[in-house]
Amino acid sequence: MPQAIMIQNYGAADALVLEEIEVGAPAPSELLLRQTAIGVNFHDIYVRSGLYKTLPLPGIPGCEAAGVIEAVGGEVEGFEVGDRVAYVTGPPYGAYASHRLLPATAAVPLADDVEDDIVAANFLRALTVDMLTRRVTRLNAGMSILVHAAAGGVGRLLCQTAAKLGVTVIGTVGSPDKADIARSSGCVHPILYRETAFQDEVMRLTGGRGVDAVFDSIGADTLEGSLSSLALCGHFVIFGQSSGPGAPLAMSTLAEKSLTVTRPILFHYLRDHAQYQAMARSALSAFATGALSAEDPLQLPLGMAAKAHDLLESRAATAGLVLKP
């Protein structure tokens, strides 16, 4: 029988329970997938905890996966049984499963030289970086930026992308080991935020000017320091809140340095099918050509989704995480 992780009620990681499910034949516009690798993201944690009430309960969480097509709906063109595909999808989610029905418009073909595990662990992250650097703001050679959690999944890909564009990358990390990881991804100035106030170090490194943009996925704990780190006319990009949502920003605070602030949500950018496909092709091509690279992710059985969430929340995992049906 197909299996899936179900959430009956919002809560801690033990809310993730493996159950048998029934998966029918695909509708005319759908694909039936046998999933081979499922990505685990902070977004899934927000959904599970109830911080994001975007999954009707009971429901199956999960935003991204890779798999093999087992059946094709009658109106679907361009896909055949046996094709390898990947996807990222927003509500109602459904990736934490051994098999699933997927709208064909969400599927993206995978090249032979791109591994399922690498894609499943990094597709959403790569799309996020594409959104941040090509759609939310434009990075140009000579700019300087601050990347929080520079050794994290998105952080590493963001550092790689920015460094290749000739941008000076400053990043916050939690340990010397993570500083090495960030450095290897193109972050030239990793800051150990537990040992020094990162905003003071940013100002020292930039000669008191500040950075042109801050990319912040932390939220409450870093908001004030991020604002202090920006140069005149700087751009504050908040794309996550792992420490909780920050306090509301007063317009007068932004006016002090003519700052702009953005709070993008990836799934809003993916609603346009043509834009999603263009972003997906760009992201997958970057992995295929080596423009983006990632470590082999840690594999856990689908039934150990709770452990995967615990590892992610505790920041104990330095590589990506995938669930294996």
Side-chain angles (χ1 to χ4, degrees):
M1 285 286 292
Q3 295 180 313
I5 294 293
M6 299 292 296
I7 298 177
Q8 299 290 339
N9 298 287
Y10 300 123
D14 60 6
L16 303 168
V17 178
L18 186 67
E19 299 182 9
E20 292 187 347
I21 59 170
E22 293 186 6
V23 180
S29 61
E30 291 181 328
L31 303 170
L32 171 62
L33 294 188
R34 173 178 56 82
Q35 304 205 121
T36 55
I38 301 156
V40 181
N41 296 281
F42 256 101
H43 187 94
D44 307 338
I45 292 172
Y46 301 151
V47 170
R48 182 213 75 214
S49 69
L51 180 63
Y52 292 171
K53 290 185 170 59
T54 47
L55 176 65
L57 299 183
I60 302 171
C63 304
E64 65 179 332
V68 178
I69 296 175
E70 291 201 329
V72 178
E75 297 176 2
V76 175
E77 297 180 355
F79 292 104
E80 296 180 357
V81 172
D83 285 350
R84 295 171 57 241
V85 298
Y87 66 87
V88 169
T89 183
Y93 309 115
Y96 283 23
S98 63
H99 298 73
R100 73 164 298 174
L101 298 174
L102 181 76
T105 52
V108 182
L110 287 181
D112 291 340
D113 52 357
V114 178
E115 297 179 7
D116 289 11
D117 284 6
I118 292 293
V119 171
N122 293 284
F123 196 16
L124 184 144
R125 295 168 175 175
L127 290 172
T128 299
V129 170
D130 182 283
M131 173 190 73
L132 295 175
T133 60
R134 300 180 62 188
R135 299 166 200 281
V136 172
T137 188
R138 290 281 183 174
L139 297 182
N140 300 305
M143 294 176 66
S144 61
I145 64 172
L146 172 64
V147 177
H148 286 297
V154 173
R156 279 178 285 180
L157 300 183
L158 181 52
C159 289
Q160 291 176 36
T161 300
K164 286 179 171 64
L165 293 172
V167 173
T168 299
V169 182
I170 302 170
T172 62
V173 295
S175 69
D177 288 344
K178 290 188 176 182
D180 291 339
I181 293 171
R183 243 184 239 105
S184 69
S185 298
C187 174
V188 294
H189 299 297
I191 299 170
L192 297 172
Y193 68 84
R194 292 190 176 98
E195 298 179 8
T196 184
F198 69 83
Q199 59 268 40
D200 295 341
E201 188 65 4
V202 167
M203 285 301 171
R204 185 188 70 80
L205 291 167
T206 60
R209 175 183 178 273
V211 293
D212 297 294
V214 173
F215 294 92
D216 191 334
S217 60
I218 307 301
D221 290 353
T222 51
L223 189 145
E224 290 188 11
S226 292
L227 289 170
S228 300
S229 300
L230 284 163
L232 291 174
C233 305
H235 191 180
F236 186 19
V237 184
I238 309 168
F239 66 98
Q241 51 189 43
S242 60
S243 68
L249 287 174
M251 292 300 102
S252 57
T253 300
L254 302 179
E256 290 174 4
K257 292 194 286 187
S258 293
L259 303 178
T260 57
V261 61
T262 312
R263 179 56 173 99
I265 300 293
L266 176 64
F267 300 115
H268 295 164
Y269 285 78
L270 302 184
R271 283 184 179 177
D272 180 90
H273 178 250
Q275 180 164 273
Y276 166 58
Q277 291 290 328
M279 293 169 68
R281 287 192 297 271
S282 175
L284 294 177
S285 174
F287 283 111
T289 61
L292 289 178
S293 62
E295 296 178 355
D296 290 335
L298 174 65
Q299 300 178 349
L300 291 171
L302 176 60
M304 296 181 69
K307 181 177 180 179
H309 278 218
D310 285 340
L311 287 170
L312 194 59
E313 284 188 281
S314 67
R315 306 189 187 280
T318 57
L321 292 164
V322 293
L323 300 174
K324 304 289 285 186

